[in-house]
């Protein structure tokens, strides 16, 4: 686990927008992070308000299910909002909370929420890629594109994850030149930094979203904030490793087929997001 916080030198100005301060401070002297500790720096996942929205709510077999969105951060002056499926047993109180992270091509899902509720857990299944598979709210790639295109008059239109000025969508990314792992540097508003930097990587942004999901769970009356775990499969497995390794609030982690591959310094794009550092 990362067990130290890099204190960034004071004096860096924060870019202001209509939403408030930028989530990430500008690079010091234009130099990108060179370690996992430096990548996360003094980032505080509790600092910003969540601005939580409830998009849909229903009940299935004693489980309350909500499709929600909450703020990941402000990047390039635009608010990034993460969609998720949140659920818990009816009348739940002080239960352990789980963050479920989907893999490549997969969806945030109410199936995991319902299954976990039957075992006595609250769960937030995060849609970092923008897809949702719930019985009363389904967003596939076609509907995701409708949302991107702003076609609110289309009867199939649904609100989902919006990364705003950056791009941590996957299969496909929102901007054709992006590739999730590195995201080519862009000064025009699609990457955090205008130079090659791990802060542009979808891995970093999606892990940040998972850490914000922990913050969401902490604030729910159904959740024991001292008993929070995270799990995921494939890309969700790697994101589980990154989330658990960078956030001490995680008390249990179960990565599946992710974070156990050959993603080492010599074979991976950024050592700052490499598994062995987490």
């Amino acid at each position: 686990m990362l067990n130290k916080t890099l204190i960034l030198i004071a004096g860096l100005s924060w870019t202001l927008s209509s939403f408030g301060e930028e989530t990430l401070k500008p690079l010091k002297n234009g130099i990108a992070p060179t370690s996992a500790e430096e990548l996360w720096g003094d980032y505080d996942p509790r600092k910003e308000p969540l601005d939580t929205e409830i998009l849909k709510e229903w009940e299935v077999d004693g489980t309350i299910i909500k499709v929600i969105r909450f703020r990941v951060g402000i990047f390039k002056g635009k608010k990034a909002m993460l969609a998720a499926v949140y659920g818990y047993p009816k009348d739940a109180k002080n239960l352990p909370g789980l963050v479920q992270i989907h893999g490549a091509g997969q969806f945030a899902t109410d199936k995991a929420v319902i299954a976990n509720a039957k075992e006595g857990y609250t769960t937030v299944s995060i849609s970092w890629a923008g897809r949702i598979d719930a019985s009363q709210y389904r967003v596939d790639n076609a509907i995701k594109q409708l949302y991107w295109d702003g076609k609110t008059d289309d009867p199939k239109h649904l609100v989902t994850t919006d990364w705003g000025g950056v791009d941590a969508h996957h299969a496909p990314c929102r901007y054709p030149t992006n590739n999730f792992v590195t995201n080519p540097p862009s000064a025009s508003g699609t990457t955090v930094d205008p130079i090659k930097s791990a802060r542009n990587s979808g891995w970093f942004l999606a892990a940040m979203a998972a850490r914000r999901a922990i913050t969401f769970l902490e604030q729910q009356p159904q959740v024991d904030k001292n008993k929070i775990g995270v799990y995921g499969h494939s890309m969700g497995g790697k994101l589980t490793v990154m989330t658990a390794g960078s956030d001490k609030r995680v008390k249990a982690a179960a990565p599946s087929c992710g974070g156990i591959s050959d993603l080492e310094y010599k074979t991976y794009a950024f050592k700052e997001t490499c598994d062995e550092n987490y």
Side-chain angles (χ1 to χ4, degrees):
M1 268 195 168
L2 305 183
N3 50 25
K4 63 180 180 179
T5 301
L6 180 70
I7 305 300
L8 297 183
I9 296 175
L12 296 176
S13 62
W14 288 49
T15 302
L16 297 179
S17 72
S18 58
F19 295 113
E21 296 178 339
E22 289 281 305
T23 296
L24 299 173
K25 294 181 181 181
L27 295 174
K28 186 177 183 297
N29 298 324
I31 300 174
T34 58
S35 68
E37 288 87 357
E38 190 176 346
L39 175 63
W40 290 104
D42 59 356
Y43 171 68
D44 181 356
R46 292 177 170 136
K47 182 178 180 179
E48 295 183 38
L50 287 168
D51 300 336
T52 302
E53 307 166 350
I54 299 176
L55 305 177
K56 184 82 173 181
E57 180 175 353
W58 67 97
E59 181 179 338
V60 175
D61 296 333
T63 298
I64 306 299
I65 301 171
K66 301 177 184 181
V67 177
I68 60 171
R69 291 204 315 174
F70 52 83
R71 185 204 289 194
V72 178
I74 306 297
F75 307 104
K76 294 297 186 72
K78 298 180 180 180
K79 185 187 294 187
M81 295 290 288
L82 180 79
V85 183
Y86 174 57
Y88 50 88
K90 190 175 182 179
D91 301 322
K93 185 177 180 181
N94 209 38
L95 295 180
L98 298 174
V99 179
Q100 192 268 338
I101 310 177
H102 72 74
Q106 298 172 3
F107 297 63
T109 173
D110 63 350
K111 296 180 179 64
V113 168
I114 294 169
N116 292 340
K118 292 179 179 178
E119 300 296 330
Y121 294 93
T122 62
T123 304
V124 59
S125 177
I126 63 173
S127 178
W128 56 269
R131 290 181 295 272
I132 302 170
D133 183 16
S135 62
Q136 296 189 32
Y137 204 98
R138 193 174 197 280
V139 179
D140 57 17
N141 283 336
I143 296 177
K144 186 168 70 171
Q145 189 65 51
L146 286 177
Y147 176 70
W148 288 348
D149 293 341
K151 295 184 177 180
T152 56
D153 57 342
D154 191 299
K156 295 182 179 179
H157 177 275
L158 290 172
V159 174
T160 188
T161 296
D162 187 345
W163 280 99
V166 293
D167 193 355
H169 293 95
H170 184 268
C173 291
R174 183 169 188 171
Y175 305 107
T177 58
N178 288 351
N179 60 25
F180 187 84
V181 174
T182 58
N183 285 342
S186 168
S188 62
T190 61
T191 56
V192 173
D193 298 322
I195 63 172
K196 186 176 180 180
S197 167
R199 301 204 307 179
N200 298 336
S201 171
W203 290 122
F204 171 64
L205 294 169
M208 184 184 291
R211 295 186 66 181
R212 288 288 282 170
I214 295 172
T215 299
F216 170 82
L217 285 177
E218 284 185 313
Q219 296 184 13
Q220 304 314 303
Q222 302 85 18
V223 179
D224 181 345
K225 65 181 182 180
N226 296 310
K227 295 181 179 179
I228 292 178
V230 59
Y231 74 102
H233 178 71
S234 189
M235 288 181 74
K238 176 175 171 57
L239 288 168
T240 294
V241 171
M242 289 188 66
T243 303
S246 60
D247 201 311
K248 292 182 179 179
R249 295 175 296 175
V250 176
K251 298 300 189 292
S256 168
C257 299
I260 55 174
S261 60
D262 63 344
L263 302 184
E264 300 175 320
Y265 288 171
K266 295 181 180 179
T267 59
Y268 211 51
F270 293 111
K271 67 179 181 180
E272 298 82 14
T273 61
C274 182
D275 297 343
E276 61 192 71
N277 290 316
Y278 293 83

